[in-house]
Structures are given as C-alpha cells and as structure tokens.
Amino acid sequence: METQFARITAVAKQKPEEKFTSLVHLINEQSLAESHAKLKAGKASGIDKVTKEEYGRNLETNVRNLVERMKTQAYKPQAARRVYIPKTGKAQKRHLGIPSYEDKLVQKAVAPILNAIYEADFLDCSHGFRPERGCHDALKVLGKIIETKPVNYIVEADIKGFFDNVDHDWMMKFLAHRIADNNLLRLIRRFLKAGIMEAGIKYDTPEGTPQGGVISPILANVYLHYALDLWFEKIFTRKSRGKVYLVR
C-alpha cells in the first residue's frame, strides 16, 4: 500500500491540476486489515459497542464482508457516539464523536489516501495533524520569525468551534478540486452526514465533522488549506504593506 500511496503523491506533485479518478479500490481487504493493526486497543467504542479485540477475533471474515458491502453501496456509516471530556484549564467540556469500530477502520483506510494527495498541495505554514509535524514545529517557526524578522505585531487567532461548523458543501467542493472518484466522495459525504447519537437520540449533522473521528483531522486541513492558507498566500500577502507570515 505504501508504494501505491507514494505513486499518488508523486503524480500530485508533478501535476498540480490532476484530478484522481480511481481511488476507492485502495480501500480493500489488505488496507482494512492494516488499518485494524494500526488502531490502538482499549479505545472508547462507538454506538455498536464493538472493540478492536472483538472485531479482530474474526478479522478476515469481518473485513471481507465489509468490502462486499462497500462494493454494493450497502455499507453506511453509523452515527458517532457523543462523549464529553474536560477542556484543559477551563470549566467547559469538549465534545467528541466516537465512530463505531467498522467506521474507524474505513476512515483509517481513507485518511492515507487523502494524505497522499494533499501533502503535495499543503503549504509550509500549516503544522497541525500532518505527518512529521505538530505544535512544537509551529512554535519553532514562530520563534524564528520573531527572532530574525522585523516584527511589529503578532495576531493570535482561534476558530471557535471549527470542527462543529465545517460547511459540508464547501468541504465537498474543495475535495472535488483533486478527487473525481465519485464513490470515494460519496463515502466521505456519508461520514459527514452520519449523525451524532447522544442519550439514545440520534441528531442529524447538517454541518461539522466530529472531533474524534479518524478522518476529521485530514478533512480539517483540506478545508483550511483552501479557506485560509491559500487566501493568506494568494490574496492577503499581496494586499499587505510590508511582510506578513502565517503559522497555523
């Protein structure tokens, strides 16, 4: 699978306007079994209450059945189970959406496909939820800018409730810039629309991508790449007097 992802990345780098038409076949028995091996044991379960250990007892049959359902469009993601965790140093709590185990598997298989494409497109200013990058890298870049550039102002901004308010239609438009595989796009839209289950009641999700979903971090980066990073680089920097820098 790694070789196939490397080929996708190579094409994405060489052809910035290329749209990938055949991707969903990469979600197969092999990739799903690899996803199962990579998922951590002992994690909270979704509304199906299935754990990694339970699913793994009959892994080959379970994965084969899942692939067959995906081929016939019979597979549909279940609603994510809503849980609440404390926010560091704050009275409020952060809500997460925990997918069912089978949905975690499929999302885990989708994420590297998206990474293979978009890592070729993402700008150096973005650091969150990317391979070999993180908060400490962002702080190092920020520190270097402050120490070596003539800085007059620093603006710190936070997008309130970002994961809860992602616009689904724009999300799909952004994905369509690079992906023309309708089956994969349909699958991602189904994850976005799967809903949230809380206290036995299912709620629709007309917007947002559940924080806690395996696929949510890469989708967040795709969204912010188009909505923020490219806007900053292509428009804001050209209209600004003097130099400006973005560290996300």
Side-chain angles (χ1 to χ4, degrees):
M1 295 303 299
E2 294 300 326
T3 303
Q4 295 182 70
F5 295 146
R7 289 198 198 106
I8 292 172
T9 301
V11 172
K13 286 180 178 177
Q14 293 164 9
K15 301 177 180 180
E17 303 301 320
E18 182 79 5
K19 290 192 175 187
F20 293 85
T21 57
S22 181
L23 295 169
V24 81
H25 72 278
L26 296 171
I27 308 171
N28 51 40
E29 291 182 34
Q30 179 190 348
S31 67
L32 290 168
E34 290 176 3
S35 296
H36 173 76
K38 291 175 182 176
L39 285 171
K40 293 180 180 179
K43 291 291 184 178
S45 58
I47 62 172
D48 60 348
K49 298 183 179 179
V50 174
T51 64
K52 175 178 179 175
E53 293 76 14
E54 290 172 302
Y55 198 88
R57 290 186 194 124
N58 202 11
L59 180 63
E60 190 174 327
T61 301
N62 287 335
V63 165
R64 189 185 308 120
N65 176 268
L66 174 56
V67 170
E68 286 304 313
R69 281 184 285 127
M70 291 185 70
K71 286 179 179 177
T72 61
Q73 300 294 328
Y75 165 73
K76 289 182 173 59
Q78 299 183 64
R81 182 172 68 88
R82 175 157 285 174
V83 298
Y84 294 86
I85 61 171
K87 282 188 177 182
T88 306
K90 295 184 180 180
Q92 314 102 297
K93 291 189 175 182
R94 185 190 309 279
H95 56 256
L96 303 180
I98 309 299
S100 67
Y101 189 76
E102 205 166 61
D103 295 339
K104 288 180 185 178
L105 270 188
V106 178
Q107 290 189 29
K108 189 74 172 175
V110 171
I113 299 173
L114 298 180
N115 272 322
I117 297 169
Y118 287 101
E119 274 300 309
D121 293 351
F122 289 157
L123 307 185
D124 283 340
C125 63
S126 68
H127 296 271
F129 305 119
R130 289 183 61 188
E132 310 300 326
R133 287 178 174 236
C135 300
H136 291 93
D137 302 293
L139 289 172
K140 286 178 184 176
V141 172
L142 180 62
K144 188 174 182 180
I145 292 171
I146 294 170
E147 291 169 4
T148 62
K149 308 294 182 182
V151 175
N152 292 319
Y153 300 98
I154 298 172
V155 179
E156 180 184 8
D158 178 51
I159 303 174
K160 185 178 180 180
F162 171 74
F163 283 92
D164 297 331
N165 294 288
V166 167
D167 186 290
H168 290 174
D169 289 336
W170 278 110
M171 181 81 260
M172 299 312 299
K173 287 176 184 176
F174 294 151
L175 289 168
H177 275 289
R178 279 299 221 167
I179 298 172
D181 185 330
N182 289 327
N183 288 322
L184 182 60
L185 292 174
R186 184 185 302 112
L187 179 61
I188 293 171
R189 182 176 279 279
R190 283 181 175 177
F191 277 122
L192 294 173
K193 298 293 185 185
I196 289 285
M197 186 75 76
E198 183 175 6
I201 301 171
K202 181 181 177 181
Y203 298 91
D204 291 335
T205 46
E207 60 186 6
T209 176
Q211 198 168 358
V214 181
I215 203 175
S216 292
I218 176 63
L219 290 181
N221 269 333
V222 170
Y223 196 97
L224 289 172
H225 170 71
Y226 289 103
L228 177 61
D229 301 351
L230 287 177
W231 164 79
F232 188 90
E233 182 187 69
K234 304 295 183 184
I235 298 175
F236 188 77
T237 56
R238 295 176 183 178
K239 291 184 176 181
S240 299
R241 290 183 294 172
K243 291 288 289 182
V244 288
Y245 307 91
L246 173 67
V247 182
R248 179 168 70 73

